[in-house]
Structures are given as C-alpha cells and as structure tokens.
C-alpha cells in the first residue's frame, strides 16, 4: 500500500521524512539517468542527514565562505548523496540539474567535480583520493589557524569531514594519508566510514578482512562505532564525541546496509552500481511508506526543514564577518595575507628577489638553482608551504629559516610527508583546494606513485607545484630503478599539466615564477641532479623565452640547415653541436624547449618563427623516450633519446654509454640533413 503525501507528512517523523527524501531523490536520479550508484546513498542517507542538519557549519548561499566546514565525499560514486544534500540544503543546484544527473552539461556529473557544482569541495571518484584530500584540508585548517588566529580573535576554526567507503579503506593511499593524519594529531578531521560489507564484485569478504578499528588505533586515531546507521541518535552521539576530541583525528565506523529498503537488493552488490529498476523502485518506496509513483518528490515539510540551512548559514557567515572585521582592524598585515589567500593574489613584489645567475661554465644543478629561486619567492609569500617525501636533502626543497609543521605546532611551513608519495599527492590537492600554495618533492621516477593525484590536480586545475628532481639517466649510480625514462613524456600527456624541464639556472628561475604565477595549472618542474652550465645570456637569448615554452636560443647566420631542439640538461649538447657543425660549414639553429604545453598555447606565427616549416632537418635531444618527438622533428628528423631503461654507473659514463654526446648529436644532424636532401631530389 502506498501512502499519499499528506498522510506521509503527518504520519512520519520529520527526521525520517528527510532521510527518505534523500534516499528517494538519489534513487530517482539514478533511475532516470539509467546509470549510477543508488546503494550507498540509500544506506548513508541517515548519516548525511545528521551531519548536515545537526553539525555542519556552512552557508549554502555562499558556498565558498572561507570558514565553512568541509565535507569530502571520498566515495565519489555515491555522488547522488552529495547532490541530494546540496539541493535540499539550498545550494544553487536546482532539481532540474538533479533530473539531468550524469548527462552532458549537468551540474550533477557522474562523480562530484570541483568547480562544476557549488558545494563540491574536491573531485572524487578514484577511491582513496578524497580522504587524502581531506587530510590536506585538515592540515590547511591547522596551518591557517596557527598563522591567523590571535588569542581569542579567531577567524579560522572549521572542521573537515569525509564520508568514505570500503573501497576507500582498501586503497593504499588511505593508509598513507591516515597514518600521517594520526601522526600530526589532526583532531579537526572526522571520517565517517560506511562499513556495509559490499563492494562492486560482491561481499568485501572476497578480499578484505582488515581489522579497521585496530588499524586506525595503530595510527593513533580515535575510533568510534555506530552499530546501526539508521539510529540517528547514535550517529549524532558519535559525531559529538568526535567533535570533543582534541588530540586525535576520529574514525567513525558506521555499520550500514547498502541499498537499505530495497526488498530484493539490500545488502547485495546489485545495489552498488546500477539503477534499482522500475519495479524495485516502487517496492522500495512502498517499504519507506512513500507514494510509489511519485518521482523526485520533496515533501514540503522536509524541504522546508532542510532549507533552514540557508538562514543558519547566513547567520553563521554574518557573525564570522563581524569577527573578521574586528580582527582585520587589529591585524592589517595578516588581513592582507588572508585576502591574498582567499583571492589567489600574490603579494606585491613577490618576485623581486628572484636571482639572476651569472654565466658559469661549471654551473649548478637545476635542483640547486631551484632552491635558491624558491627561497627568494618563499620569503615574500608566507602561505607557500612545501613538502617532500623524505627527500628534502636530495630534492633541495628546504625553505630557509622555516620550521616544521608538526603535531601541536602547526605554524611551520615545512611539511614532512615521510616516504608516502601517494599520500603526498592527494594531500597536496587538499592543501591547494584550501587556498595555500603548495609544492611537493620526490624523485621524478616516483612521480608514478603520485600520478593518480596529479591527474586529479589537472582535472581540478589546482596550482600545485611538483619538484621532481633527478630527472634523467644522469642519476647514474642508482641505476635503472631510479632513472626516469618515460616520465617526462608521459607527464606531458596529461591534459592541463605544465611540465617544465629547464636547461640552466636562469630558465629554472623563470620556470619557478611560472609555477607560482599559475592559478589554474599544476606545474611539474623536472630538475637535474647534476650540475649544468649557466649560459651566458649576453650571447644567447633571454631565459624569459621559457614563458613561451620554446624559443630560439641561438640562431645561425641565415636560414638554418638544421634545427637542434634541446631540453633541460641536454640543451648544452645542442649548443656544442651547433659550434661543431658551424666549423664544418653547417648552419644550425638551437631551440630550447623546456615546456611543450606552453609552446602549444602560442600563436601559429610564433611557432612558425621558432620552428620554420621550411627547415625539415631537425634533431631533438632529450634524455628520455624518443616517442612523441616526431611531433616537432617530423618524419625526416632524428631524436637523440633514451629508448630503454638506463644503467648503473657514474653519470657521465651512463650518458656517454647511451649516446648523449656532442658527436652523436652532430651525427644525427647530418643524417637528418641527408634524409631531407634525398627526399628533395626524388
Ligand atoms: C581507484 C579506484 N579503483 C576502482 C574504482 C571502481 N569502483 C568504483 S566503486 C567500487 C567498489 C566500491 O565499493 P565500496 O567502496 O564498498 O562502495 P559501496 O559498494 O559501498 O557503494 C569500485 C571498485 C574506483 N572508482 N576507483
């Protein structure tokens, strides 16, 4: 028997009405889209309801209010749960968008996407990433609080919640992120873990028998359990206890039923990732005491109650604004910094101390020059924080005269990730999404460990900077496991990524400036372990050319016979080859190409001016895979690249062994010239 709406509003307690509204909205959106994941929203609706209704300090009318609590739905496949909450609590997400769930152009895409939907704090979907982001957000809150709050004058005191699932818990990144959160005693962090014992392929017992409670206790977390997700009071009690915790992050293990209320699919993986089906939707609605034919029904009482969040949020924001005004009057210098963080504006003169490096044949490694440049910027950008995955001394990522961010002392700008590259990647995204400028370092070869998070930084257009050093086979003695070969090229493949491989100290300075100026692009700095000469810029073109991705570094007299394109540490080989070829009467132009992505953004005229199409003899020199260079050298061009894994040995010998010599570049140039000639005469 199905109820009518009036009966339902009087007969059902308001809380239950709201919970079932969340459930049925999610069910209907998935059913209409004929695609999506109804099960988790059905099981978790009571948890979301309690969190949003009784705890969350947010302002739906002002989704970016800086002191709002953050909620990260790490189990991104349960996106309809989040969209239902955002719609019902009054965000600018009309029902018409929910009705277009998973359709092109909808504000309700399949998985939550940062900057598409108001109220979505981060893009989730790849399991485990969201919870790592939440750790970055909690770190940011602690840092902002330590930096800006003054005694009783507090402008930062928000909490970070994450809703996560069995899949999140299984992913390796959750281990790294949770361990660090426990170590740092991030008591502002609360994870609500949906323990429903079902994942995509079936029961989690197929592959998962972790004792999650012991695991998190081992990370020094506060662990609480809610035996029944449908018991609103026990969910509320647990969150309240978590909020009272001052020393540890809290994990609330919530036992729930996937697909709750579906007569044939509850507690089955069939409820996980496909619509319930028209008949099952009806049967489920009957179970909830819902009108079985109503779709996208929001009973007035539920709608009104949940939308009270708007007025509450306005009040919270107004109170905060008043606090902020008083605080800003007393702390004008800090207020200017706060403004910079919130608006993304850099402080006046942030780059005024960036050094210009004098010509020096011996030179220095770009990781070294990078450190000098970074420090010259860091002293003017107080909210530039950095981390390294236990490789600070190798990556040269130390910020001078700064302290470590550590448990109980959260004002330091040096983040220590430990040997946790995956966690670092996800945490950096959470930090960047919180307005701080962040960079993280490890060896370039281990960028693979970070790649999932890097890809998300690109999707989210977050200005994270990666300091990836030891950028070629010139790592030397450590051998092939530590020598990147395919990395630079494969990172170039990620849309929106700026991969910059500077050739000398002055190119490194411009590269760092670009990274810091960036608002919408992650930047990868591929830096050398070994010294590279600092070029004499009175003889060669200005390093400002890096801004265009590629530039004519050294031209020939008259039309060149061949163009030599170099990146990073191999530019010097191209320069020396140019001289050798000149001695033999061959005119070569040298192009420095530190960043493909920026070059691609230039006008056709500019590109033609650097790489004239009439000059078809070309050689690219890069100690990485040659695959892809055809784009710039063409079919008649040649690549001095690294086809196979490297080798263990002194760097100079490894380089020579694999053909990174001036002679080899000269030989390839001649070959390319010969190929062009032969095709011309045919
Ligand atoms: C990194 C990653 N691997 C695989 C998937 C595909 N996937 C989406 S949901 C899911 C199962 C998740 O089960 P659980 O987290 O328990 O969610 P529930 O079944 O409770 O909705 C899988 C494997 C993914 N989204 N991300």
């Amino acid at each position: 028997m199905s109820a009518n709406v009036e009966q339902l509003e009087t007969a059902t307690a308001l809380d239950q009405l709201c919970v079932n509204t969340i459930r049925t909205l999610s069910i209907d959106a998935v059913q209409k889209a004929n695609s999506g994941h109804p099960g988790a929203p059905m099981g978790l609706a009571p948890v979301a309801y309690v969190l949003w209704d009784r705890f969350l300090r947010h302002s739906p009318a002002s989704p970016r209010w800086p002191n709002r609590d953050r909620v990260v739905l790490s189990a991104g496949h349960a996106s309809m749960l989040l969209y239902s909450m955002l719609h019902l609590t009054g965000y600018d997400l009309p029902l018409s968008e929910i009705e277009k769930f998973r359709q092109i152009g909808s504000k309700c895409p399949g998985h939550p996407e940062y900057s598409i939907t108001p109220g979505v704090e981060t893009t989730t979907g790849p399991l485990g990433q969201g919870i790592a982001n939440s750790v970055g957000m909690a770190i940011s809150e602690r840092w902002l609080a330590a930096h800006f709050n003054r005694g009783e004058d507090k402008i930062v005191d928000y909490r970070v919640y994450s809703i996560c699932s069995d899949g999140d818990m299984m992913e390796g990144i959750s281990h790294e992120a949770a361990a660090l959160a426990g170590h740092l005693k991030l008591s502002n962090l609360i994870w609500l873990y949906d323990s429903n014992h079902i994942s995509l392929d079936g029961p989690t017992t197929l592959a998962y028998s972790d004792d999650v409670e012991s695991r998190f206790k081992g990370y020094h977390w506060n662990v609480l359990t809610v035996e029944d997700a449908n018991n609103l009071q026990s969910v509320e009690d647990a969150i309240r206890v978590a909020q009272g915790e001052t020393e540890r992050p809290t994990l609330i293990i919530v036992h729930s039923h996937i697909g709750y209320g579906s007569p044939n699919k509850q507690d089955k993986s069939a409820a996980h990732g496909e619509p319930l089906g028209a008949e099952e939707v009806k049967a489920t609605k009957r179970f909830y005491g819902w009108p079985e034919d109503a779709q996208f029904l929001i009973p007035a009482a539920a709608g009104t109650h949940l939308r009270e969040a708007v007025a509450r949020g306005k009040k919270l924001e107004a109170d905060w604004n008043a606090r902020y005004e008083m605080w800003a009057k007393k702390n004008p210098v800090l207020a200017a910094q706060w403004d910079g963080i919130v608006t993304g504006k850099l402080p006046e003169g942030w780059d005024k101390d960036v050094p210009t490096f004098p010509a020096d044949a011996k030179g220095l490694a770009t990781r070294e020059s990078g450190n000098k440049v970074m420090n010259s910027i860091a002293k003017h950008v107080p909210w530039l924080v950095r981390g390294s995955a236990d490789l600070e001394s190798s990556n040269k990522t130390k910020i001078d005269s700064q302290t470590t961010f550590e448990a109980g002392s959260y004002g330091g700008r040096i983040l220590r990730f430990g040997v946790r590259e995956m966690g670092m990647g996800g945490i950096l995204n959470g930090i960047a999404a919180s307005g701080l400028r962040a960079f993280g370092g490890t060896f370039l070869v281990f960028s693979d460990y970070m790649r999932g998070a890097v890809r998300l930084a690109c999707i989210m257009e977050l200005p994270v900077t990666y300091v990836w050093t030891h950028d070629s086979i010139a790592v030397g003695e450590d051998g092939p496991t530590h020598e990147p070969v395919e990395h630079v090229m494969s990172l170039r493949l990620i849309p929106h990524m700026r991969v910059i491989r500077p050739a000398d100290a002055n190119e490194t300075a411009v590269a760092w400036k670009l990274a810091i100026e960036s608002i919408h692009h992650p930047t990868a700095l591929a830096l050398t372990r070994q010294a590279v000469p600092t070029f004499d810029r009175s003889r060669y073109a200005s390093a400002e050319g890096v801004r265009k991705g590629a530039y004519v570094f050294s031209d020939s007299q008259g039309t060149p016979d061949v163009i030599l394109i170099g990146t990073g540490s191999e530019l010097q080989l191209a320069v020396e080859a140019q001289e050798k070829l000149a001695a033999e009467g061959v005119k070569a132009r040298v192009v420095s190409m530190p960043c493909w992505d920026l070059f691609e953004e230039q006008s056709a005229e500019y590109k033609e001016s650097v790489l004239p199409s009439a000059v078809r003899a070309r050689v690219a020199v890069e100690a990485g895979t040659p695959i892809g260079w055809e784009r710039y050298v063409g079919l008649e061009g040649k690549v001095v690249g690294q086809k196979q894994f490297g080798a263990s040995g002194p760097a100079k010998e490894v380089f020579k062994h694999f053909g990174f010599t001036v002679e080899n570049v000269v030989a390839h140039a001649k070959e390319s010239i010969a190929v062009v000639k032969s095709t011309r005469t045919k």
Side-chain angles (χ1 to χ4, degrees):
M1 259 250 307
S2 79
N4 67 39
V5 181
E6 285 83 352
Q7 279 171 334
L8 196 121
E9 287 187 7
T10 48
T12 316
L14 182 60
D15 287 340
Q16 209 47 49
L17 189 72
C18 292
V19 169
N20 287 335
T21 304
I22 299 163
R23 285 184 170 129
T24 51
L25 257 191
S26 305
I27 290 170
D28 287 341
V30 172
Q31 190 63 32
K32 181 157 188 217
N34 198 22
S35 165
H37 303 74
M42 292 159 75
L44 277 172
V47 176
Y49 172 64
V50 171
L51 176 62
W52 261 267
D53 187 58
R54 302 187 185 162
F55 293 100
L56 215 58
R57 291 178 305 174
H58 63 139
S59 181
S62 181
R64 294 266 158 209
W65 169 44
N67 198 40
R68 68 194 181 280
D69 288 340
R70 271 59 167 177
V71 185
V72 172
L73 179 69
S74 191
H77 61 274
S79 55
M80 259 322 300
L81 178 70
L82 183 54
Y83 299 147
S84 297
M85 294 317 302
L86 294 174
H87 170 70
L88 291 167
T89 57
Y91 284 77
D92 180 17
L93 189 65
L95 197 57
S96 55
E97 293 294 334
I98 291 190
E99 289 179 11
K100 286 189 288 179
F101 177 51
R102 289 189 161 232
Q103 308 309 306
I104 291 174
S106 167
K107 279 191 188 173
C108 297
H111 292 84
E113 291 192 46
Y114 184 70
S115 71
I116 288 190
T117 318
V120 168
E121 301 286 358
T122 181
T123 296
T124 53
L127 290 162
Q129 292 289 339
I131 39 184
N133 295 168
S134 77
V135 174
M137 292 176 187
I139 285 173
S140 303
E141 191 277 342
R142 293 286 84 173
W143 188 90
L144 290 164
H147 190 75
F148 289 110
N149 291 346
R150 287 288 173 274
E152 289 305 298
D153 290 335
K154 287 193 180 141
I155 59 159
V156 181
D157 58 357
Y158 57 88
R159 287 195 173 83
V160 181
Y161 299 90
S162 183
I163 297 173
C164 53
S165 64
D166 295 312
D168 284 302
M169 286 293 159
M170 288 189 230
E171 290 290 350
I173 191 171
S174 74
H175 295 251
E176 297 189 1
L180 190 62
H183 175 78
L184 292 171
K185 301 188 196 276
L186 300 174
S187 59
N188 55 344
L189 181 64
I190 299 171
W191 287 1
L192 295 142
Y193 162 39
D194 179 29
S195 174
N196 63 21
H197 307 284
I198 295 292
S199 62
L200 197 150
D201 276 349
T204 52
T205 47
L206 289 171
Y208 178 60
S209 47
D210 296 11
D211 177 348
V212 175
E213 181 175 348
S214 301
R215 175 184 154 197
F216 275 74
K217 283 189 169 156
Y219 297 146
H220 314 294
W221 281 55
N222 174 32
V223 183
L224 306 171
T225 302
V226 169
E227 293 299 342
D228 176 9
N230 288 320
N231 184 336
L232 304 189
Q233 190 58 50
S234 70
V235 175
E236 179 175 341
D237 291 346
I239 298 178
R240 211 169 292 289
V241 171
Q243 289 197 337
E245 170 66 41
T246 55
E247 283 287 308
R248 298 168 293 177
T250 296
L251 176 76
I252 304 176
I253 302 172
V254 184
H255 293 286
S256 77
H257 295 278
I258 194 166
Y260 177 79
S262 160
N264 298 300
K265 298 198 170 175
Q266 177 180 315
D267 295 323
K268 296 191 181 129
S269 60
H272 160 83
E274 57 195 57
L276 294 180
E279 283 313 307
E280 192 68 9
V281 169
K282 284 189 184 181
T284 306
K285 285 181 179 168
R286 279 200 296 274
F287 175 85
Y288 297 148
W290 211 252
E292 64 177 48
D293 291 320
Q295 287 183 9
F296 298 100
L297 171 68
I298 302 174
T304 306
H305 177 66
L306 283 159
R307 281 186 85 87
E308 285 166 8
V310 175
R312 272 203 311 271
K314 284 186 176 157
K315 166 101 177 50
L316 280 171
E317 202 185 351
D319 290 349
W320 182 85
N321 283 340
R323 258 194 292 158
Y324 177 86
E325 289 308 325
M326 271 168 47
W327 170 89
K329 268 204 193 94
K330 287 193 213 164
N331 303 287
V333 174
L334 288 178
Q337 291 181 11
W338 177 264
D339 191 49
I341 290 173
V342 172
T343 61
K345 269 201 309 274
L346 292 165
E348 203 63 40
W350 64 273
D351 59 350
K352 67 173 186 257
D353 291 324
V354 171
T356 302
F357 296 87
D360 176 5
K362 199 162 124 280
L364 69 171
T366 52
R367 62 178 169 148
E368 298 272 7
S369 50
N371 179 271
K372 290 183 204 298
V373 175
M374 180 275 290
N375 268 296
S376 75
I377 296 169
K379 68 178 174 189
H380 299 298
V381 187
W383 58 95
L384 177 63
V385 299
R386 79 95 186 141
S388 169
D390 197 40
L391 282 171
E392 176 183 270
S393 52
S394 302
N395 299 146
K396 308 287 177 201
T397 44
K398 188 153 191 329
I399 303 187
D400 294 341
S401 61
Q402 292 297 324
T403 53
T404 293
F405 176 96
E406 54 193 315
S409 175
Y410 295 117
R413 291 165 62 186
I414 299 179
L415 303 176
R416 301 205 177 272
F417 289 104
V419 193
R420 298 188 184 99
E421 295 85 0
M422 253 192 286
M424 176 167 76
I427 291 170
L428 286 170
N429 288 350
I431 295 175
S434 306
L436 299 182
R437 300 306 305 260
F439 68 95
T442 184
F443 290 150
L444 177 59
V445 79
F446 302 136
S447 61
D448 286 342
Y449 277 45
M450 302 176 66
R451 197 169 171 108
V454 170
R455 185 169 191 275
L456 284 168
C458 292
I459 292 179
M460 286 192 264
E461 305 187 358
L462 293 174
V464 179
T465 301
Y466 306 105
V467 178
W468 284 323
T469 68
H470 298 57
D471 71 342
S472 77
I473 54 166
V475 164
E477 289 85 349
D478 276 341
T481 57
H482 282 53
E483 293 172 354
V485 172
E486 72 279 25
H487 297 75
V488 167
M489 194 60 85
S490 79
L491 288 160
R492 285 179 184 135
L493 294 176
I494 307 179
H496 221 73
M497 182 76 173
R498 279 197 184 141
V499 183
I500 312 183
R501 188 164 184 259
D504 75 346
N506 288 308
E507 283 200 2
T508 305
V510 181
W512 254 113
K513 283 198 256 183
L514 282 164
I516 297 294
E517 285 163 9
S518 169
I519 294 173
H520 292 300
H521 289 269
T523 305
L525 301 174
L527 304 178
T528 66
R529 175 195 182 208
Q530 77 280 22
V532 289
T534 307
F535 293 107
D536 179 355
R537 296 286 168 168
S538 65
R539 185 166 166 210
Y540 301 113
S542 160
E544 283 298 312
V546 174
R547 290 184 176 279
K548 297 203 158 156
Y551 62 104
V552 178
F553 181 81
S554 170
D555 213 352
S556 55
Q557 299 269 327
T559 308
D561 301 314
V562 62
I563 300 174
L564 309 176
I565 308 170
T567 82
S569 49
E570 289 72 75
L571 182 67
Q572 57 187 302
L573 297 177
V575 172
E576 285 184 51
Q578 179 192 42
E579 287 165 16
K580 280 233 154 72
L581 287 164
E584 296 178 35
V586 179
K587 290 181 284 183
R589 163 184 287 190
V590 175
V591 168
S592 176
M593 191 181 267
C595 182
W596 279 31
D597 313 78
L598 281 168
F599 187 61
E600 285 300 323
E601 288 171 18
Q602 305 309 312
S603 66
E605 292 74 30
Y606 180 77
K607 289 192 218 169
E608 175 67 19
S609 75
V610 176
L611 299 175
S613 38
V615 185
R616 280 153 42 206
R618 300 175 181 191
V619 181
V621 198
E622 181 171 76
T625 180
I627 296 170
W629 274 109
E630 302 83 356
R631 181 181 191 94
Y632 295 116
V633 299
L635 295 177
E636 291 143 323
K638 300 278 163 194
V639 185
V640 178
Q642 180 66 17
K643 289 198 189 79
Q644 70 249 54
F645 292 120
S648 169
K652 284 200 171 116
E653 285 172 36
V654 173
F655 238 48
K656 211 165 131 193
H657 178 76
F658 287 110
F660 292 95
T661 62
V662 176
E663 294 69 34
N664 200 24
V665 176
V666 167
H668 278 74
K670 288 181 183 167
E671 264 180 53
S672 182
I673 291 169
V675 173
V676 171
K677 265 201 188 125
S678 74
T679 53
R680 240 184 232 140
T681 48
K682 269 178 203 162

